[in-house]
Amino acid sequence: MAAQKTKRQRTCIGCGATLGKGALHRIVRNGEGLVSFDPTGRLAGRGAYVCSEDCLAAARKTRKLERALRCKVTDEDYERVLRELALAEAPGKNEE
């Protein structure tokens, strides 16, 4: 009989919900310090997970994203991540 392997759970930094990797959105800081949305969940770098745009806004307000990524996150970074996250959550929507 083969041993069962359990899937690791991830925690949303905004609300604290514990879910599988596929249910959360990953935000990553790469080696150059650029903060971006990771649609595949496989980019190299330090990552943090959020379950929605609302949780990203909450993490921004409490600076939890900065602590999780261990870097300063600028307003431009937040706006870019929000745009990319909105496109990922609504794939049928055209970019305006």
Side-chain angles (χ1 to χ4, degrees), residues 3-84:
Q4 291 254 327
K5 190 173 182 180
T6 60
K7 298 244 180 188
R8 265 185 71 197
Q9 298 288 301
R10 272 51 175 198
T11 303
C12 173
I13 61 170
C15 66
T18 302
L19 301 166
K21 184 177 180 178
L24 296 170
H25 303 289
R26 184 170 186 248
I27 300 164
V28 66
R29 174 187 48 92
N30 65 13
E32 290 81 41
L34 178 67
V35 176
S36 62
F37 171 65
D38 180 8
T40 63
R42 295 176 181 238
L43 291 177
R46 183 156 189 87
Y49 293 88
V50 294
C51 56
S52 67
E53 290 180 36
D54 294 336
C55 285
L56 179 60
R60 178 182 187 178
K61 191 175 194 178
T62 58
R63 297 178 47 171
K64 287 182 180 179
L65 185 61
E66 290 183 6
R67 286 194 298 273
L69 297 179
R70 297 182 184 164
C71 72
K72 176 73 175 145
V73 181
T74 65
D75 290 337
E76 293 81 24
D77 290 334
Y78 277 114
E79 295 305 318
R80 184 178 58 256
V81 169
L82 274 172
R83 277 194 311 271
E84 294 169 350

